[in-house]
């Protein structure tokens, strides 16, 4: 495989640092959120339709508005504006009910080992997770994975990002914020469609195969790949990162 000297590392979260089946997580998430909405007096059917519509809007919006703006605009259009305090009441879910979705979860210690090794070597780390959630929800998922949120210079959330994977606008935004050339960035992910799309912009990639998702029949042997433990070994083998600007 081609050797590169990296100046930043991008990490996916779900299925990469967090060894959790994404479909199972989403089922639990939407079930708990719908139950919570009903418990605070929201109309269950209207809420579910508005929630699904807001998520679809974020995934398909072609503007450069932040995803949270797109979500709430769509949500209110579908649910109605008869409950002006609904935003704050829904957001309380992420500090009360959401954390318990991860109860009993066992993290893979290789996640923290990889992140800590790269951080110690001076690599700027970006958590380029699908930006459909508020910050608190992402921080809880990092806790489940055993990784310190403070290790990352940037964590993509629905209120600081526009577009979603695999839209190249999402990756262009993060590459610009990393302040280096795309060729100097390594993307670490498990989804050949969503995560490896960044290679179209010139980034390198490491495909984590523990929870591999390959909806496009990607030739996996053409990129660096291995288990999360293998990636942690790879991270520990990298040289210290060069100081930016040198």
């Amino acid at each position: 495989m081609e050797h590169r000297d990296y100046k930043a590392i991008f990490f996916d979260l779900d299925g990469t640092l967090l060894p959790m089946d994404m479909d199972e997580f989403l089922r639990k998430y939407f079930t708990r959120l719908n139950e919570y909405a009903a418990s605070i007096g929201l109309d269950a059917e209207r809420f579910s339709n508005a929630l699904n519509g807001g998520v679809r809007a974020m995934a398909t919006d072609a503007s450069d508005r932040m995803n949270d703006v797109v979500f709430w605009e769509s949500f209110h259009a579908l649910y109605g504006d008869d409950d002006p305090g609904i935003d704050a009441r829904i957001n309380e879910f992420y500090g009360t009910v959401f954390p318990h979705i991860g109860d009993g979860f066992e993290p893979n210690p290789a996640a923290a080992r990889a992140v800590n090794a790269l951080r110690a070597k001076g690599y700027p780390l970006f958590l380029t997770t699908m930006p459909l959630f508020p910050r608190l929800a992402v921080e809880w998922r990092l806790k489940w994975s055993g990784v310190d949120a403070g290790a990352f210079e940037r964590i993509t959330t629905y209120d600081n990002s526009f577009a979603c994977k695999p839209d190249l606008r999402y990756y262009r935004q993060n590459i610009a914020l990393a302040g280096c050339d795309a060729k100097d960035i390594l993307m670490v992910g498990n989804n050949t469609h969503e995560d490896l799309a960044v290679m179209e912009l010139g980034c390198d990639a490491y495909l984590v195969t523990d929870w591999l998702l390959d909806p496009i029949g990607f030739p996996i042997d053409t990129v660096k790949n291995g288990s999360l433990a293998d990636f942690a070994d790879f991270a520990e083998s990298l040289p210290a990162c060069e100081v930016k600007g040198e």
Side-chain angles (χ1 to χ4, degrees):
M1 296 293 174
E2 178 187 5
H3 170 76
R4 301 195 195 185
D5 293 320
Y6 305 116
K7 295 182 180 178
I9 312 292
F10 287 3
F11 277 101
D12 173 55
L13 178 54
D14 304 291
T16 301
L17 293 175
L18 181 64
M20 179 181 284
D21 180 85
M22 192 58 178
D23 289 338
E24 179 183 355
F25 163 70
L26 289 175
R27 281 194 298 271
K28 289 181 178 179
Y29 167 67
F30 284 114
T31 297
R32 297 283 184 90
L33 184 51
N34 281 298
E35 290 173 348
Y36 175 81
S39 76
I40 61 173
L42 301 181
D43 181 275
E45 184 175 355
R46 285 168 62 197
F47 177 82
S48 181
N49 289 338
L51 176 66
N52 291 334
V55 171
R56 285 194 300 270
M58 286 191 289
T60 58
D61 185 70
S63 73
D64 287 343
R65 295 178 300 162
M66 293 299 173
N67 288 339
D68 65 328
V69 174
V70 174
F71 173 82
W72 287 113
E73 178 183 274
S74 175
F75 181 93
H76 286 295
L78 292 167
Y79 188 85
D81 291 322
D82 52 320
D83 189 345
I86 193 171
D87 302 28
R89 292 161 64 202
I90 292 173
N91 283 332
E92 290 177 1
F93 166 84
Y94 296 101
T96 56
V97 178
F98 186 89
H100 297 292
I101 294 176
D103 286 352
F105 180 78
E106 292 293 332
N108 185 337
R113 181 162 68 92
V115 169
N116 292 340
L118 293 167
R119 187 183 187 188
K121 293 172 186 286
Y123 288 92
L125 306 180
F126 277 35
L127 188 72
T128 49
T129 182
M130 186 73 86
L132 300 177
F133 295 90
R135 170 89 182 202
L136 187 56
V138 182
E139 289 181 347
W140 275 113
R141 282 149 59 217
L142 278 170
K143 287 182 181 180
W144 303 340
S145 74
V147 175
D148 178 13
F152 298 96
E153 290 196 3
R154 173 172 164 80
I155 294 174
T156 60
T157 59
Y158 83 152
D159 59 347
N160 70 8
S161 303
F162 55 81
C164 296
K165 302 178 186 180
D167 192 323
L168 295 183
R169 292 179 302 140
Y170 167 79
Y171 285 114
R172 289 191 182 101
Q173 181 190 20
N174 287 287
I175 291 169
L177 290 170
C180 58
D181 291 338
K183 64 180 178 59
D184 298 323
I185 296 171
L186 175 69
M187 175 71 205
V188 185
N190 72 307
N191 189 308
T192 59
H193 179 52
E194 294 179 354
D195 299 323
L196 300 195
V198 74
M199 296 178 70
E200 295 181 39
L201 300 177
C203 294
D204 198 10
Y206 192 109
L207 189 63
V208 174
T209 55
D210 303 63
W211 294 86
L212 176 66
L213 295 175
D214 182 24
I216 59 175
F218 188 88
I220 292 169
D221 289 341
T222 64
V223 296
K224 299 176 181 67
N225 69 85
S227 68
L228 186 57
D230 292 333
F231 177 75
D233 292 340
F234 175 79
E236 291 173 342
S237 76
L238 290 176
C241 182
E242 294 182 7
V243 177
K244 289 182 180 180
E246 290 191 353

